Amino acid sequence: MLLTSRRLRAALLAVASASLVGAVLPAPVPLGIGDSLFPHLGNPGYDVLSYDIGLTYGGDNSKPLNAVTRIEARATQTLEHVNLDFAHGTVQSVEVNGTRARYATSGEDLVITPAKPVHRGSRTIITVRHTSNPVGNASDGGWVRTGDGLAMANQADAAHRVFPSNDHPSDKAYFTFRVTAPKEHTVVANGLPSAKPRAVKGAQEAVVWTYRTQHPMATELAQVSIGKSAVLHRTGPHGLPVRDVVPAADAQRLEPWLKKTPAHLEWMEERVGRYPFETYGVLIAEADTGFELETQTLSLFERSLFTGTGYPEWYVDSIMVHELAHHWFGNSVSPRSWSDLWLNEGHATWYEALYAEKERPLEERMKAAYTNSDGWRKAGGPPAAPKPSRPGQKISIFRPVVYDGSALVLYALRQEIGEKAFDTVERRWVSEHRDAVATTADFVKLSSDVAGRDLSGFFQAWLYGQRTPPMPGHPQWRSAATDGPEVHR
């Protein structure tokens, strides 16, 4: 997909969205910002500034939680209707700026009709009282039921299965979580505690925990852990607070893994600069998710990754670095659209591979990726123009082409411009776009600026071509799928 065509589509979408949200609609309809992979995600007309999410957990992870989500947003255009992404919960009431508002559901949208239009430029507070249901198809994401409670896995489009939101990574916001849970449970969430846990007045068996982020966050990165957990504290580089959350019974067994994190942080900082957030840690859940996840400041891991016998130590180490690397690439610098996912996963895989280089040489891994690259592109699309997910399998956008196939693009870039220029690109990327969103076009421009020449043709072939271009410095490398006619979409 050409960069120019994406810009044109975005411009046409903006015009269409303006007319949709400004008109009186005959019936509630789901909107969306036109993301090519998730067209109904996100909503036009406003920018979320902050979320304040209250959750009440009764100790049974098979029952819905009572919840209140308070959203502060700035209107970017006058709105007679405000759409939020929300599914898998029951809405009990909605208020806009303290006044009750009418609401209806349409698809996975909650369509709100305020008593008065929300005017462009105004700050608006939307309060939704609802339930948040942890029971359902685990493959859809959202709440993860663990052996002793709950955790979240909201990637790619599942935060709105937990709380009403503008569920797209292009709209980052600050978060506050206020979670009430039985006193025998421990609650940990993104960010740092903003108040000491306190007993609920008149209910001695319940405690309220409060956390707040110091940096904006995409909804897909939200994390709340509720369980009979141990929270282990240590110090990382520059005095960084490091806290790990593990099943209490496993704390001693997992300590050999947990104590590695400060060294992992130092290793990453040597390559790309200072860690971008207020804290970091590992959340180990007794759950079978089939994946690990870079939830901001508290990465989610399956317990079996550390307690099983099928993985060598160097491999587990490299996976821990992969999720940590996302905190620079994907969390601090978030994708403007889901088609920019290669920037997240390609970079995390790149640093995973660098960390494991002594056990598996980088060139060997990249050569293997090159061999498979054409097949990956045929199955999943080029790195920056991935095919949509398969019906009913939303996380199927996470294909090999966005992992090793995209790390291969970074290897080709380093081969093309040299290691010193490549390292400059990496450091400037996470510095210049910190706490923001960025696009593939932004990465192409920065790389060209650092290289001192136009690299748009290089990236056009590597990111959008159906075939993998020749590898700079390795003209002898061949893909296993190079025979036959080129496939065009």
Side-chain angles (χ1 to χ4, degrees), residues 1-150:
M1 183 184 302
L2 296 176
L3 291 174
T4 50
S5 68
R6 285 168 47 203
R7 293 194 191 99
L8 176 60
R9 190 178 68 248
L12 292 173
L13 174 69
V15 173
S17 297
S19 61
L20 274 174
V21 296
V24 177
L25 300 176
V29 296
L31 295 180
I33 59 172
D35 190 289
S36 61
L37 297 182
F38 297 104
H40 289 131
L41 272 190
N43 297 283
Y46 62 92
D47 170 34
V48 176
L49 305 176
S50 67
Y51 294 93
D52 190 314
I53 301 170
L55 299 163
T56 300
Y57 174 72
D60 185 343
N61 65 8
S62 66
K63 293 182 178 180
L65 289 72
N66 288 322
V68 179
T69 297
R70 180 180 180 272
I71 300 171
E72 182 178 3
R74 181 180 59 248
T76 57
Q77 58 194 84
T78 297
L79 299 170
E80 296 189 9
H81 308 278
V82 180
N83 280 47
L84 297 174
D85 300 305
F86 186 55
H88 210 59
T90 300
V91 176
Q92 294 149 346
S93 69
V94 177
E95 294 178 0
V96 177
N97 295 327
T99 300
R100 293 290 288 263
R102 291 185 291 118
Y103 62 89
T105 58
S106 181
E108 295 194 348
D109 271 21
L110 172 63
V111 184
I112 301 166
T113 304
K116 297 179 181 179
V118 174
H119 294 290
R120 179 179 179 179
S122 65
R123 287 200 174 195
T124 301
I125 295 176
I126 303 167
T127 303
V128 184
R129 288 174 173 81
H130 61 96
T131 62
S132 184
N133 194 345
V135 179
N137 187 348
S139 66
D140 287 340
W143 285 115
V144 173
R145 293 197 287 172
T146 68
D148 59 357
L150 295 170

Side-chain angles (χ1 to χ4, degrees), residues 3 342 384 409-410 413 417 425 440 443-448 454-465:
L3 291 174
W342 80 274
V409 177
L410 298 176
L413 176 62
I417 67 176
V425 169
T440 297
F443 191 78
V444 172
K445 183 181 184 304
L446 175 60
S447 300
S448 298
D454 184 5
L455 293 174
S456 57
F458 168 88
F459 279 109
Q460 180 66 36
W462 276 96
L463 292 175
Y464 300 98

Side-chain angles (χ1 to χ4, degrees), residues 35-308:
D35 190 289
S36 61
L37 297 182
F38 297 104
H40 289 131
L41 272 190
N43 297 283
Y46 62 92
D47 170 34
V48 176
L49 305 176
S50 67
Y51 294 93
D52 190 314
I53 301 170
L55 299 163
T56 300
Y57 174 72
D60 185 343
N61 65 8
S62 66
K63 293 182 178 180
L65 289 72
N66 288 322
V68 179
T69 297
R70 180 180 180 272
I71 300 171
E72 182 178 3
R74 181 180 59 248
T76 57
Q77 58 194 84
T78 297
L79 299 170
E80 296 189 9
H81 308 278
V82 180
N83 280 47
L84 297 174
D85 300 305
F86 186 55
H88 210 59
T90 300
V91 176
Q92 294 149 346
S93 69
V94 177
E95 294 178 0
V96 177
N97 295 327
T99 300
R100 293 290 288 263
R102 291 185 291 118
Y103 62 89
T105 58
S106 181
E108 295 194 348
D109 271 21
L110 172 63
V111 184
I112 301 166
T113 304
K116 297 179 181 179
V118 174
H119 294 290
R120 179 179 179 179
S122 65
R123 287 200 174 195
T124 301
I125 295 176
I126 303 167
T127 303
V128 184
R129 288 174 173 81
H130 61 96
T131 62
S132 184
N133 194 345
V135 179
N137 187 348
S139 66
D140 287 340
W143 285 115
V144 173
R145 293 197 287 172
T146 68
D148 59 357
L150 295 170
M152 286 186 194
N154 295 329
Q155 200 175 81
D157 71 331
H160 67 279
R161 291 175 59 83
V162 177
F163 56 92
S165 59
N166 199 29
D167 194 9
H168 194 273
S170 62
D171 192 0
K172 299 166 72 164
Y174 292 90
F175 279 72
T176 298
F177 296 95
R178 308 174 197 275
V179 184
T180 302
K183 65 179 183 179
E184 65 269 20
H185 287 72
T186 297
V187 177
V188 184
N190 309 97
L192 291 169
S194 61
K196 292 183 178 180
R198 60 176 177 81
V200 176
K201 190 173 182 179
Q204 296 181 354
E205 300 300 313
V207 175
V208 179
W209 305 72
T210 306
Y211 291 84
R212 182 169 290 124
T213 66
Q214 296 179 8
H215 297 263
M217 180 171 72
T219 50
E220 49 127 352
L221 303 174
Q223 182 59 268
V224 173
S225 166
I226 307 171
K228 297 177 180 178
S229 309
V231 182
L232 308 174
H233 297 274
R234 65 195 84 230
T235 302
H238 321 291
L240 179 75
V242 176
R243 47 88 195 266
D244 300 307
V245 183
V246 302
D250 290 324
Q252 185 174 353
R253 180 181 185 184
L254 294 170
E255 178 60 20
W257 295 107
L258 302 175
K259 69 182 182 181
K260 293 172 177 283
T261 296
H264 292 162
L265 283 157
E266 290 175 0
W267 187 88
M268 279 298 302
E269 287 193 349
E270 287 172 2
R271 283 150 185 82
V272 295
R274 196 155 176 163
Y275 176 74
F277 297 113
E278 63 269 28
T279 185
Y280 183 66
V282 168
L283 165 61
I284 299 178
E286 187 180 344
D288 295 320
T289 62
F291 55 81
E292 328 305 328
L293 188 59
E294 65 276 13
T295 43
Q296 192 161 303
T297 72
L298 191 63
S299 293
L300 174 66
F301 291 86
E302 293 176 291
R303 178 180 177 273
S304 60
L305 178 69
F306 303 98
T307 60

Side-chain angles (χ1 to χ4, degrees), residues 369-383:
Y370 192 93
T371 299
N372 291 296
S373 181
D374 278 0
W376 291 340
R377 288 172 183 244
K378 183 177 181 180

Side-chain angles (χ1 to χ4, degrees), residues 395-463:
I395 63 172
S396 65
I397 63 169
F398 294 91
R399 304 177 176 101
V401 72
V402 303
Y403 291 94
D404 281 53
S406 295
L408 186 67
V409 177
L410 298 176
Y411 181 78
L413 176 62
R414 193 175 75 163
Q415 292 289 104
E416 178 74 15
I417 67 176
E419 189 168 341
K420 183 177 179 180
F422 178 82
D423 290 346
T424 299
V425 169
E426 297 292 274
R427 287 178 174 272
R428 283 185 56 183
W429 177 253
V430 297
S431 173
E432 294 176 14
H433 298 285
R434 183 178 180 180
D435 285 340
V437 298
T439 67
T440 297
D442 293 325
F443 191 78
V444 172
K445 183 181 184 304
L446 175 60
S447 300
S448 298
D449 290 346
V450 172
R453 56 191 173 93
D454 184 5
L455 293 174
S456 57
F458 168 88
F459 279 109
Q460 180 66 36
W462 276 96
L463 292 175

